[in-house]
Amino acid sequence: MTTGEAVERIVGALAEVAGLRPATPSLPMGRADTAVDLSPEVVRIRLIATRLPIPPLLDEAVRAVRPVLAGTQWENARLRLVVTDLDGAAFTRPAVPGDRLR
């Protein structure tokens, strides 16, 4: 798997996690793949939380991303999830299990 393919799959896996989204530059052409850095030692993903509480969201993100890395050169890399921002919607939306509203 190429780096680009891995990043695309990671972003796709994160799309299934309600309450988190990749942190992208606030440019018109900001792309989700800019939120992922891959190295053999560390896979760093910058995220924006849209729901609270954050720790269960990060646990779910780990469960979504780890299978994507299985069998790749990043399989044994540390997974570092960095919440760079908290969307104001997190304070107004109740945490509802299974809700995919973003």
Side-chain angles (χ1 to χ4, degrees), residues 71-85:
T72 71
Q73 62 186 343
W74 306 284
E75 180 174 33
N76 296 316
R78 282 181 288 133
L79 188 56
R80 183 173 297 156
L81 303 177
V82 181
V83 177
T84 63
D85 201 359

Side-chain angles (χ1 to χ4, degrees), residues 6-70:
V7 169
E8 187 176 313
R9 290 181 184 179
I10 289 168
V11 169
L14 290 170
E16 299 300 315
V17 180
L20 291 175
R21 69 173 187 259
T24 57
S26 58
L27 303 171
M29 51 199 272
R31 298 183 346 223
D33 61 352
T34 61
V36 180
D37 296 321
L38 298 173
S39 78
E41 297 83 27
V42 179
V43 173
R44 181 178 303 118
I45 306 168
R46 290 171 297 285
L47 300 161
I48 296 173
T50 61
R51 296 206 186 281
L52 297 172
I54 293 173
L57 297 176
L58 296 178
D59 291 342
E60 189 176 344
V62 168
R63 287 190 299 272
V65 171
R66 270 292 163 205
V68 171
L69 301 175

